[in-house]
């Protein structure tokens, strides 16, 4: 069972059971973002986590195994047209050089890691219209000299 | 004076005066991220803000005018190779579908606006290695039916 | 049942029944454009709307469910060669900067939303040759400062 | 003087005089959209129109000539990152197949011309937030058989 | 039955019967070029034409229906490597600006329609080596002012 | 003097003299299409032809030389957005496979040469709207076996 | 049976019989390069050649027919990553302008045909390491004037 | 002086002196193909070769130096539209898999080197039309195992 | 059995047996990197090596045969989004010109072969965080003159 | 002075002084690879390092400043045609999945950092032909869970 089939099996089981990602996340004590990313085939669960998720959703050993496989990550270098996805690329295009200036100035020559990295996504209620708040937190890695 | 020349003039004046983006931002009472984005030609200052920045940096009326021009935004659809910039595209490729799942489930069918949008970037000191924290906050816009 | 299979089922049922999009739209009290876009897998119906459409077309519960799934929208970043579709990209290439000048001047620095957005398409009879009239109406979103 | 230099000369003169596109359009009795597109180098003025615009803006014979040259149109096949411009490509990607279905069903197998074509852009005031309204009107051309 | 399956059915039936495109064209009183383009899924036959072609080739009602569907046209924006097909793109690259100069000068600012358009293709016998002659005839559409 | 500078010099001289491409062509006894293509830097004149054209337009020896240089041909593999140019690519995309079928069936397995090739472009007056007629004539080259 | 299936059938039969391309070529009295290109679906055999090849390899009438179909040639415009294939593109990139200079100077303004064209490929034994020798021979076609 | 300026200087001097590439090649005892490639900035001359070429063409020490610089080779990954250049890419697309089959079968798993490589280009007179003959000769490199 | 199916069969058998790549490599006395590359379809085993690997993993004669087929190598020219894979492209983009300078200066004008080439990959334990060490070793090939 | 001008100034001064990269590296006690990368504008020197390099090469304060600016890194996402540079992309395409398998198996789910990273490049003399040895050493970063 590959990662695509695994994701389909999980999404169907999740819909059948009528649960949300954060309920699945609670089963293994992880955040909803990380748990979703692993179920979508972008991160790797431990054997115990995989078993707990599959027990909760009523899925078999093939899914347990597939959740532990190291994935090939990312959906290819094409910029997507889905408006929700595209807005994040737009933020990169419009604010990318600003982010670089600010990180360089505040921390130095290096990068924010996308591996030693966490992300949280929340709804912020607002009488003028609800908002979405995303917090990214990555380790700063300075360029090594040798 | 176009936006590219404007940015060069500001960067030179900033270096000569030896100030940081947040000092410039303090002059106009805005965040460092937004102020930097306007100085890099991606956002538009009011006449008063533009005048204050130029008074502070010792720049002439051409720069004051250029800061008020509505820009054509974004650096083109090519994915950059600079490692700091690329990591944000990598986050989009690896976590994009996860972000979509979470926003859809928590808020509904729609997008997080990249226009009615704010961003903060901070250094987080950590004994295991400093970290970078980025907070994005955008209005949720639901798809209209008609 | 995914969105592609859903669309095929609807198109076949529509042809079999010999109805037009606006007749389907009338069943749910929506415009023909929005109704078509939902049937083509680009917008999301409520449970009630989905049920009414499927009752009208004689389609089963799988289609009712599929019409309510939040879609991944847009047909990819490739510019199509179909002449009818291409003409709209041509309008963007030829008149895009003009549209930007006019909106900026009349309303300010911001965008016309493609989410809080409606569109109508009509035939205009004309003795010199019929014409097509398209009306787009989107919320103006001004760039936020912070 | 090529079209790029012509546009720069017009934009500078327009700013110096402090007029809007619709005031320039009124001088020649054309719409603001068409007049702007000609000044941006995408359409062709008659000798009389070109002379009137240049008299109004105080521009010399080089601009008068340049406004009458048949342009090479469109800004290339790259999809732009400017958010205002991009939203129109997004509309094409999300609603393109819907537009095709509706035009085919209402008028037949053919296209809406982008040449025998007019467009109007207006601000629509709205207490919940102003809106932008765009009306496109193009001749229907049916595919010829032979 | 989609357009690809329709084309395969026609090509097989044509080979089995051992006829040429112009014999099929003669059945409906159309040119061989147009008839071929419709059989390849790029143009639309009337119900009568579709029936006559299918009667002639011994094809069933599914093909009759498929020939009447409005197609999504063109084989995508990739430039093909087949030498016969590529030569026509080469003509566009080498002679495109020349064609524009000549049409602009002889007829004015506008285009040659590819919709209200006919094409004929013939073999021209020549003792120094046979030649191919292609005649394109499209309506001139002048850019509209408004 | 390179080909781009050569073309600019010719176009300026042509406008100053107020002549059309076919008048320049008549000077050397060639067609207007071929003469224009050579002046746009896509074909090569003989020394005599180059001298005659330059004498007629009052251009100096640098242009005479440049017209005789073997050019690097074609404007690159990008598909242009100018509507007049694009229509010819559209014809290739929509009718390309049809052209291949017809040439293969009428002449055999091979190509129509774009080198041993001529083209004529004419305005055809028509009370329902003028038309453009383009005739292409290229040598058939059959694939060699060995 | 399409060309891809035809090639697979031939390759399997060739391996089963344990013969080399030049043995197949000898059956029809053609070169190994041309024979291989036809078996890979890039050239067209006569009915007699196709029959002889299939008799030799023990293949049925479907393959005989498929070998006679006029192919759509070339494997698309993407530059391949296989090192053996890539080296030939590298030769084009590094030596292309040199080839153009030499052909233009020695023969004139025109091209080497890739249609009226033969190629031979041989191993050249060499004590310092064997070499590969490729001979291309194509008709020179001069650009036609008209 | 960079490689582009070097090439321009050589081409001008060559035209002024009225010599051909093979005459320049004779001065240094190299082939015309290699000598041309070095003058076009794709290969590197020794100090002695560079001096001899510049003495012959009357060029100064800047060109002598530039001819000895190790170049960055190849004109980028874009497939050119010049017909002479394109035909070689067409040969790669149409005959590439055939070349791979033949080299693999005759010599083994490996490549023909494009570095330890020579090429000769000659005109072959033929009463039915002159031909171009190109001979490539590259070292076979077998894939190493370890 | 093609190379993709072969790889799947090997990966499943390897997981079932619970062995690592270096255990498979030890069976044939090759490095783990080369053995893995052959099992992933990028290099070619001898008949003996293929038999030993398949005996060890309990795989049948189809896999033995497939391991000996000369592969078409490389996964296409698209730059991958998987972070582990991408980092190596990033090294090429950031350090490529540096590598060229150093090799040219230390060894001369030529390349490091990727064919007569070996690579080793090892984990280096480090108290501050483990590291990965990759050693590439390729034959230097100097550009040939002729 | 930007990074491109800085590199040109350094390369000219280096050639005038007749020194090699490793002599420059020795001045600051760094490796030749890192020193070269900083001089090519891909890494950042400290004030002291920049001063020492410029004292050694006789360069002024503009270069000292430019060497300390944080660069935008990498030469864009286009795959280069220079054969030396291309071979490293070929290694990525051919051995990329193998590298991923080996690192995943030996170290776990994560990446080799290209930031906390060193590289050494050496010539290895060999009687059968000299070789190039490249050693890459990067920190392993495991994917974080949260």
């Amino acid at each position: 069972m590959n990662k695509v089939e695994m994701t389909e099996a999980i999404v169907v089981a999740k819909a059948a059971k009528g649960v949300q990602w954060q309920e699945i996340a609670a089963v293994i004590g992880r955040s909803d973002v990380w748990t979703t990313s692993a179920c979508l085939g972008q991160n790797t669960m431990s054997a115990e986590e995989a078993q707990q998720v599959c027990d909760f959703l009523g899925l078999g050993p093939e899914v347990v195994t597939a959740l532990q496989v190291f994935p090939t990550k990312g959906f290819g270098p094409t910029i997507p047209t889905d408006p929700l996805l595209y807005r994040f690329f737009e933020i990169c295009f419009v604010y990318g050089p600003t982010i670089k200036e600010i990180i360089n100035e505040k921390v130095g020559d290096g990068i924010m890691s996308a591996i030693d990295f966490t992300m949280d996504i929340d709804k912020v209620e607002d009488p003028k219209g609800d908002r979405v708040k995303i917090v990214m937190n990555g380790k700063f890695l300075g360029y090594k000299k040798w």
Side-chain angles (χ1 to χ4, degrees), chain A:
Chain A
M1 175 178 269
N2 62 31
K3 291 280 185 184
V4 171
E5 295 161 344
M6 175 196 88
T7 295
E8 288 172 0
I10 292 173
V11 166
V12 166
K14 169 177 176 290
K17 195 175 174 80
V19 292
Q20 295 219 323
W21 290 112
Q22 54 192 203
E23 296 174 72
I24 301 173
V27 170
I28 56 170
R30 296 275 175 208
S31 67
D32 55 356
V33 172
W34 185 86
T35 305
T36 305
S37 74
C39 292
L40 296 184
Q42 297 288 329
N43 271 310
T44 316
M45 288 195 180
S46 68
E48 190 185 3
E49 291 165 341
Q51 190 62 57
Q52 289 172 324
V53 164
C54 291
D55 287 350
F56 179 68
L57 293 173
L59 291 162
E62 282 199 339
V63 180
V64 176
T65 300
L67 279 164
Q68 301 174 59
V69 171
F70 299 158
T72 297
K73 301 184 170 201
F75 57 82
T78 306
I79 295 176
T81 52
D82 180 79
L84 186 148
L85 292 175
Y86 180 78
R87 292 305 177 275
F88 293 92
F89 288 86
E90 185 170 297
I91 290 168
C92 293
F93 287 129
V94 173
Y95 290 102
T98 296
I99 295 171
K100 185 169 166 65
E101 277 288 323
I102 298 289
I103 292 180
N104 279 345
E105 191 167 281
K106 289 194 174 167
V107 202
D109 195 14
I111 65 158
M112 182 187 83
S113 177
I115 308 296
D116 186 339
F117 169 82
T118 66
M119 178 166 47
D120 297 292
I121 304 169
D122 284 297
K123 178 181 179 178
V124 180
E125 302 205 345
D126 186 317
K128 286 177 292 180
D130 292 342
R131 300 183 72 84
V132 177
K133 181 179 170 187
I134 296 181
V135 180
M136 297 176 177
N137 185 307
K139 186 170 187 177
F140 177 79
L141 296 174
Y143 289 109
K144 193 178 182 71
K145 292 180 173 188
W146 71 99

